[in-house]
Amino acid sequence: MGKLSKLMTDISKGAVGAAPIGARDRESAAAAVREMFTSIAPRYDLLNHVLSMNVDRLWWRRTARSFAAIVSKPEAQILDLCCGTGDMAFALRRQAGKNSATIVGADFSHAMLQRAHKKGIGTALRWVEADALSLPLPSSHFDLVTSAFGFRNLADYDAGLREIIRVLKPGGECGILDFGEPKGIIGKLYRFYFRNVLPRIGTLVSGVKGPYAYLPASVERFPEPQQMLGRMRAAGFREATWTPYTFGIAGLYRGKK
């Protein structure tokens, strides 16, 4: 490991949250993330599928199945945090089938929510424009809170976990699906693709450079699984676990209030 990579890893162990280039504090970091996602919203879905070779669809479905017992409960209350254009919320809706679960998607990017709303016309899905660190939602209300590839972008990871704990009912569960860094030869290939190929394709298709240069840096900065599990336990989650997906390229963090 080179000196720069080691420094990045050391920094990530104590990282407070996302830190886009130029961010000076929590507020400016959040503003920069919102601006980035607004800029790529028109091509967001296309790029997700192209850059992941459609594996992202499998990850969403697998995560939704993981919570089938909750989603299938009559009148279950479910929140998908940092929902983007709504793909995780749609996967949960499909898993719920005909039952009466209420599924709410929340995101602070108006442009992303506009696309989620358009995709969700004809469904009972609800959308809320809100900051994940300060949700305009009641305490102890939800049976399940999920977040797919959005939690990593929060300006304060621990504050995000505390807010999830707040809105969950006692005994309610949390599922955070996000990128990881696989080991071995798969990890080397993945890092080459993630650092060198993905940013170029993303920039070419979206016409915007910053977000796809930020993406690999945000994954390197995000806490490693054991560190993330420690943060979850400190926030008040019990039975905190991590399940790797596709050689650890992504993984699901679970916890119970």
Side-chain angles (χ1 to χ4, degrees):
M1 179 183 291
K3 290 183 179 180
L4 180 57
S5 296
K6 184 178 187 302
L7 177 61
M8 288 291 292
T9 300
D10 291 342
I11 291 173
S12 73
K13 292 178 181 179
V16 172
I21 292 175
R24 302 173 303 281
D25 50 31
R26 198 172 95 167
E27 288 69 28
S28 61
V33 169
R34 182 188 288 109
E35 183 178 343
M36 279 192 290
F37 279 96
T38 296
S39 70
I40 62 173
R43 297 279 185 164
Y44 183 75
D45 286 334
L46 171 65
L47 280 166
N48 274 357
H49 303 324
V50 169
L51 295 174
S52 72
M53 303 175 192
N54 271 328
V55 177
D56 57 338
R57 299 178 191 269
L58 300 178
W59 293 335
W60 290 319
R61 288 200 293 267
R62 183 175 175 183
T63 298
R65 287 197 303 269
S66 297
F67 295 103
I70 298 176
V71 175
S72 63
K73 289 181 179 179
E75 300 182 2
Q77 298 290 324
I78 300 165
L79 172 65
D80 184 38
L81 202 57
C82 309
C83 68
T85 60
D87 286 304
M88 187 70 244
F90 293 120
L92 291 165
R93 181 68 266 167
R94 288 190 291 270
Q95 183 66 48
K98 295 182 179 180
N99 90 35
S100 55
T102 297
I103 302 174
V104 179
D107 201 284
F108 72 172
S109 169
H110 183 72
M112 287 289 195
L113 282 179
Q114 283 183 312
R115 282 156 180 78
H117 176 74
K118 186 175 181 180
K119 288 163 62 177
I121 291 174
T123 73
L125 291 169
R126 303 176 185 177
W127 311 102
V128 176
E129 188 170 340
D131 187 335
L133 302 185
S134 182
L135 293 168
L137 300 168
S139 299
S140 302
H141 180 75
F142 293 96
D143 299 283
L144 171 65
V145 176
T146 61
S147 181
F149 306 109
F151 186 90
R152 184 188 71 258
N153 299 307
L154 296 185
D156 188 326
Y157 306 135
D158 295 327
L161 290 170
R162 290 193 297 270
E163 190 67 347
I164 293 172
I165 278 281
R166 182 185 70 79
V167 300
L168 275 174
K169 296 177 181 177
E173 294 193 40
C174 165
I176 298 172
L177 172 63
D178 222 313
F179 287 114
E181 292 202 289
K183 309 298 182 184
I185 186 65
I186 295 294
K188 291 180 180 179
L189 293 171
Y190 165 76
R191 281 186 287 276
F192 177 82
Y193 171 76
F194 215 50
R195 295 171 182 170
N196 299 284
V197 180
L198 181 150
R200 293 182 181 181
I201 297 174
T203 300
L204 179 65
V205 175
S206 70
V208 184
K209 181 178 180 180
Y212 292 96
Y214 160 79
L215 179 57
S218 72
V219 174
E220 288 188 22
R221 183 178 177 82
F222 195 59
E224 294 178 356
Q226 290 307 311
Q227 297 157 7
M228 182 63 181
L229 292 173
R231 288 175 184 256
M232 292 178 71
R233 295 185 188 104
F237 287 100
R238 58 186 175 89
E239 301 177 23
T241 62
W242 178 71
T243 302
Y245 289 179
T246 316
F247 308 106
I249 291 174
L252 176 64
Y253 294 93
R254 294 187 65 163
K256 185 177 291 187
K257 179 173 176 177

